[in-house]
Amino acid sequence: VDLLRLMKELRQVERRLRPGAEAPGGVRRCEPKDTLLEWDVAMGFPQDSTLQRGLEHWAALADEASADGGLLLLRVRFPVDFPKAPPEVWIQ
């Protein structure tokens, strides 16, 4: 695993998530879990987009009381042979 590359990429995302910065690709939150090889990511989309309206509708139907209502929650797991192999991504 190229941990230095993962650390660099995480720092880049964190810098872009600061107030006033443009978040990459709709990412609203990116947090490593117990290791650097597993991240939780929350994504949102433009307010007027069909996808964002769908996420908000689904959250309302699910009676979602968390702060993540209307966000797409992902778990990203990087394999030991990253970057030669892509990360695995699950919708939570």
Side-chain angles (χ1 to χ4, degrees), residues 58-79:
W58 179 82
L61 289 176
D63 196 27
E64 185 65 48
S66 76
D68 293 325
L71 294 178
L72 182 61
L73 304 179
L74 306 171
R75 171 79 38 94
V76 180
R77 202 172 286 158
F78 296 91

Side-chain angles (χ1 to χ4, degrees), residues 8-17 24 27 30 39:
K8 179 181 175 183
E9 290 187 22
L10 178 61
R11 279 193 297 261
Q12 287 175 343
V13 171
E14 289 174 337
R15 272 195 303 274
R16 290 178 147 181
L17 289 175
V27 174
C30 181
W39 300 0

Side-chain angles (χ1 to χ4, degrees), residues 8-90:
K8 179 181 175 183
E9 290 187 22
L10 178 61
R11 279 193 297 261
Q12 287 175 343
V13 171
E14 289 174 337
R15 272 195 303 274
R16 290 178 147 181
L17 289 175
R18 292 183 185 150
E22 184 178 328
V27 174
R28 304 284 172 85
R29 187 178 72 241
C30 181
E31 301 168 344
K33 294 299 290 173
D34 298 331
T35 73
L36 192 58
L37 297 177
E38 193 168 314
W39 300 0
D40 280 345
V41 177
M43 293 183 69
F45 303 93
Q47 259 331 99
D48 60 344
S49 71
T50 302
L51 184 53
Q52 185 62 37
R53 285 192 306 270
L55 287 172
E56 290 169 359
H57 178 72
W58 179 82
L61 289 176
D63 196 27
E64 185 65 48
S66 76
D68 293 325
L71 294 178
L72 182 61
L73 304 179
L74 306 171
R75 171 79 38 94
V76 180
R77 202 172 286 158
F78 296 91
V80 293
D81 52 349
F82 178 82
K84 294 178 183 174
E88 299 172 341
V89 180
W90 291 272

